[in-house]
Amino acid sequence: MTPYQCRCGQALFCENTRCSNCGRIQAFEPLRAAMLSLDTDDDGWVDGEGNRYRPCANRAEWRVCNGVVEADSNETLCSGCRLNRTIPSMSRGENVLRWKRLEAAKRRMIAGVSKLGLDVNSGGGMRFDFLEDKRSHPDVLEHFVTTGHKDGVITINVLEADEIQRVQQRELMGERYRTVLGHIRHEAGHFFYPQLVTDPGGFTALFGDPSADYDQALNRYYEEGPADGWEQRHISAYASSHPLEDWAECFAHFLHIEDTLETAICYGLSPDPAQDPRERINAWARFVIPLNELGRSLGQRDHYPFILTPVVIDKLLYVQAAVARAAGRS
Ligand SMILES: [Zn+2]
Ligand SMILES: [Zn+2]
Ligand SMILES: [Zn+2]
C-alpha cells in the first residue's frame, strides 16, 4: 500500500490513529482507500474542507478501528465496522487486541479490493462473523469454528488473531504461511467468485470442475493430504483440495501481490511495470528474492514462501483478467 501523508507532511500508514508529528487525528476510509487528517475543535473533528466527523463507535469504545462517521450521519459505525454481523465477546479482555488485528486485516483487504474496482457492498454485501469456539471460550456452544464463507458471510475464528494459537495451527497443519490477512483475502475470493467468474469453461480448463463434490474433496484432503505434485499446479497445498479453494487461494495471492508490489514501487524497491499484467507478475517474481533474503538477514521466516510456476502464473493472470473485467477496465 502507498503511504499516506498528514496535512503537516508526515508520512502515515493506514493503521495510524494520530500523527506523531503534529498530533492531528487520522482516520482511514477503506472503501476509498483514503486517509483523513482531522483537526480537533470545540465541536469535534473537522477536515481541511470543513467536513465534520465523529469517531466510529468501535473506535470510541474499544479502539479497535481508526474509522470515522460523518457528523450528520445516522450511522454509529464506520464503513468497515458496518460489515460486522458478529463481533468477539468483549467480556474477555484478550479479545480486544484480537479484534483489533482482525479489523486491521479486514480494512486492508477492503482497501485493496476497492482500489481494484470491486465493491464489498455489492451482491447483498459482505458480512463478517468473528466467532469463538470452546477452545477460547468455554461458555460458547460450538466446539469447533472453522474459517470460511457462506452466502456472503465470512466467518473467522477469533483465535486466528492470537499469535501463539495461529503459529501452533500453522505448524500442526504443516503450512508455510498463515496470517489473518491471508485468511480474509482468501474468503473475499469466495465472496467475489460469483461476480468474477463468468466463463465456466475457461475456469474449469485452468482450475478444474467447480461443481466437484466439495465435502468429499475436503475430507480427502484432510485425510490423505495434498495430491502428489501439487507444487507444479497450485500456489499452496490447500489450493489442491478443490477448484474453488484453488480460486480463493489465487485471489488472495493476487491481492498480496498487488498490495506489496505497490509498496515496493512507491519506495523505489521495484521498477514500475505499469498495468501490464504479466510484467507485474514478473516484477513481483524478481522482488520476492530480495524480500525473502531481507527477512533471512534478520533471522525471520520467508515473507513470501511460495513458488510461481507457469500454471500458477496462468491462474493469477486469470484472476487479474476477471477482476479487470468486473471493474470495467478490460
Ligand atoms: Zn501531522
Ligand atoms: Zn469502525
Ligand atoms: Zn476457502
Side-chain angles (χ1 to χ4, degrees), residues 56 58-59 65 67 78 81 107:
C56 167
N58 289 341
R59 176 180 189 155
C65 88
C78 70
C81 289
R107 295 162 78 71

Side-chain angles (χ1 to χ4, degrees), residues 284-303:
W284 173 249
R286 283 190 296 270
F287 177 65
V288 162
I289 298 165
L291 176 70
N292 285 340
E293 191 59 12
L294 283 167
R296 291 174 208 150
S297 298
L298 290 164
Q300 305 280 359
R301 296 164 55 85
D302 285 358
H303 291 301

Side-chain angles (χ1 to χ4, degrees), residues 6-10 19-24 26 37:
C6 179
R7 272 149 66 196
C8 76
Q10 174 84 357
C19 173
S20 59
N21 183 47
C22 72
R24 276 193 182 89
Q26 305 299 327
S37 214

Side-chain angles (χ1 to χ4, degrees), residues 254 258 275 277 315-325 329:
F254 176 60
E258 282 297 315
Q275 290 310 312
K315 291 176 182 174
L316 292 172
L317 290 172
Y318 179 93
V319 174
Q320 187 282 334
V323 170
R325 196 166 50 234
R329 292 188 285 108

Side-chain angles (χ1 to χ4, degrees), residues 147-149 186-187 190 214 238 244-245 248-249:
T147 291
H149 167 270
H186 172 106
E187 301 308 334
H190 288 304
Y214 185 83
Y238 183 65
L244 293 175
E245 296 308 321
E249 283 288 88

